[in-house]
Amino acid sequence: INALLWSDHADKGRFMALPVGTSIDIDNQGRFALPVGSVVGKHFRLNGQLVETRLLLHHQQPYGWQGYSYEWNDTETEASLLSSAKDKAIDGQVWHYPSRAECDSCHTAVAGFTLGPEVGQLNRTFVYPGNGIEANQLITLESIGVLSAALTDAEKSTAFYALDDTAYSAERRARSYLHSNCANCHQPGGPGGGEMDLRMATPLTDARICNEAPLGDTLGLINPAIISPGNPEQSILVLRMEDTGQHRMPPLASSVVDTQAMTVIREWITTLTECP
């Protein structure tokens, strides 16, 4: 995907599978709506070691989408399904295996359930390991008949931006990162506090973050804003993302600060001279 979800230094391999004869719909936000029977998965590796695989399965109603976490043994020969959350010390850090309830707290209907599979994330080239061919993922899915309808011009032109792709502005890269890591909760109807909307497609004028007062703890600041133009140190969004204690955002699945992301986000806020 283009804008990675931060997972405490873990490298991830992503995959999905659909039942034979089915296809993927794309909703009006560019998100993939996968049919019943689909599976979306991620392998997590720390320093090359396979530590976890998470599966998201689309069951028949009333169960719908359900998440499952598997812990790999040290020899990477077997993974065990976990029935509850677990913390494990791996290579000097604590790795958190989420409970099924924690999976549900992020993979919500408001967020489109699957999170990663969407137009802006998959609109990029990929080297397919089966044949070594390099091709755009969206065009490939369309050409093999996996999509239920032809891609529109708008979908073909929608893309998110990687943190390290300096050909694009800090704003585009920061907004892409916030979409991937925060917007699943912080959007209209989402479980996140306040009225902010961190989806990439939402203009900054409508995102309710620029010079907006935070609803929660002000972390000791005088008159802070969620984002204070030109001043990252007065921006609650920055301070909460850099916190490793009770005020940390995101509150689940991460206890290590993404320093690369914070550099880009700070650069973006510094370049803001005013709220649009």
Side-chain angles (χ1 to χ4, degrees), residues 14-16 32 122-144 146:
R14 300 168 180 267
F15 58 92
M16 61 182 176
F32 283 17
L122 296 181
N123 193 1
R124 59 174 293 159
T125 57
F126 179 75
V127 178
Y128 288 86
N131 50 28
I133 292 176
E134 182 175 354
N136 180 282
Q137 293 179 111
L138 292 182
I139 301 302
T140 299
L141 291 173
E142 180 184 45
S143 67
I144 63 175
V146 171

Side-chain angles (χ1 to χ4, degrees), residues 147-222:
L147 303 182
S148 62
L151 293 165
T152 66
D153 290 340
E155 289 165 345
K156 291 178 182 178
S157 63
T158 298
F160 300 154
Y161 305 91
L163 285 172
D164 59 356
D165 193 346
T166 55
Y168 298 97
S169 67
E171 178 178 10
R172 288 191 182 186
R173 290 178 282 143
R175 290 295 308 273
S176 295
Y177 184 89
L178 294 174
H179 176 102
S180 183
N181 288 268
C182 311
N184 57 304
C185 287
H186 292 290
Q187 61 175 285
E195 297 180 345
M196 69 181 78
D197 185 356
L198 296 180
R199 292 174 296 176
M200 180 67 172
T202 302
L204 189 56
T205 50
D206 302 323
R208 304 296 299 271
I209 56 176
C210 194
N211 268 342
E212 293 278 346
L215 292 182
D217 198 310
T218 60
L219 307 183
L221 299 179
I222 305 298

Side-chain angles (χ1 to χ4, degrees), residues 66-86:
Q66 298 288 322
Y68 304 91
S69 179
Y70 292 79
E71 177 188 5
W72 285 92
N73 61 12
D74 292 340
T75 57
E76 302 180 26
T77 56
E78 186 175 24
S80 300
L81 177 63
L82 298 177
S83 59
S84 60
K86 178 178 180 178

Side-chain angles (χ1 to χ4, degrees), residues 93-107:
Q93 72 179 72
V94 176
W95 182 257
H96 181 72
Y97 298 86
S99 68
R100 295 176 191 177
E102 287 175 330
C103 292
D104 292 343
S105 68
C106 289
H107 293 277

